[in-house]
Amino acid sequence: MKNPAHSGVTAIELLVVVAIITLLLAVGFPRVEDFAIRARVTEGLAVASAARAAVHTACADNPSAKIHDISEAGFHFVPTKYVAELLVIANCSEQLYWVGVVTRNTGAHPDPFLAYLTLPDHNSKGRALWKCRLIRGLEEHAPAECLTTIF
């Protein structure tokens, strides 16, 4: 037989549950938000990857070319929801390539700015060795590959 005095949830038990849920949200929400921002920034890396391939192909076709705009490499860039601008500078004869990605609407303040850079490496057998670097923004919003120290 049940005791009617103990049939419900006490106010203390309810407050403890609410406090635990609040604590979990306070700790977990910023991490989830950083993950979402990093996912939006990663779209910029996909765009940069296609631009890198276009620059490499353009330099293979014309080893003395100097590229100052992505359209000179035969790549048509259309801004997306999270990628505002794509910046390219390439000196094919020196094997110096730079691709910058300006992000927008990522939820980060400021929106991250990433850059891919190559440096001449005569041991790479003609392959471009691209390195990614976070130029502007918070490290927790950048993909891991862009947190290397190269310049």
Side-chain angles (χ1 to χ4, degrees):
M1 185 165 178
K2 289 187 173 184
N3 186 351
H6 298 289
S7 63
V9 177
T10 66
I12 300 262
E13 291 171 331
L14 187 59
L15 287 174
V16 168
V17 169
V18 169
I20 290 171
I21 290 172
T22 303
L23 181 65
L24 290 174
L25 287 174
V27 171
F29 185 72
R31 291 188 180 159
V32 170
E33 188 177 4
D34 287 345
F35 179 75
I37 290 169
R38 201 169 24 256
R40 293 178 196 125
V41 171
T42 302
E43 178 183 315
L45 297 184
V47 171
S49 180
R52 290 175 8 204
V55 167
H56 192 68
T57 300
C59 286
D61 293 343
N62 184 358
S64 64
K66 292 187 183 199
I67 301 170
H68 300 286
D69 187 78
I70 192 60
S71 62
E72 295 173 12
F75 185 82
H76 180 68
F77 170 70
V78 177
T80 67
K81 183 175 181 180
Y82 301 120
V83 181
E85 195 172 358
L86 191 61
L87 309 168
V88 174
I89 299 171
N91 183 342
C92 299
S93 62
E94 298 292 325
Q95 293 182 339
L96 295 172
Y97 315 120
W98 186 85
V99 176
V101 179
V102 180
T103 62
R104 66 177 173 188
N105 304 323
T106 61
H109 300 288
D111 281 314
F113 173 37
L114 308 169
Y116 276 97
L117 172 76
T118 62
L119 298 172
D121 184 359
H122 302 293
N123 296 326
S124 66
K125 299 177 183 160
R127 293 187 314 257
L129 298 176
W130 293 91
K131 299 288 183 180
C132 181
R133 181 71 177 145
L134 176 67
I135 304 297
R136 180 191 70 210
L138 301 175
E139 288 185 359
E140 56 265 18
H141 298 151
E145 70 178 281
C146 296
L147 298 177
T148 58
T149 54
I150 56 167
F151 44 83

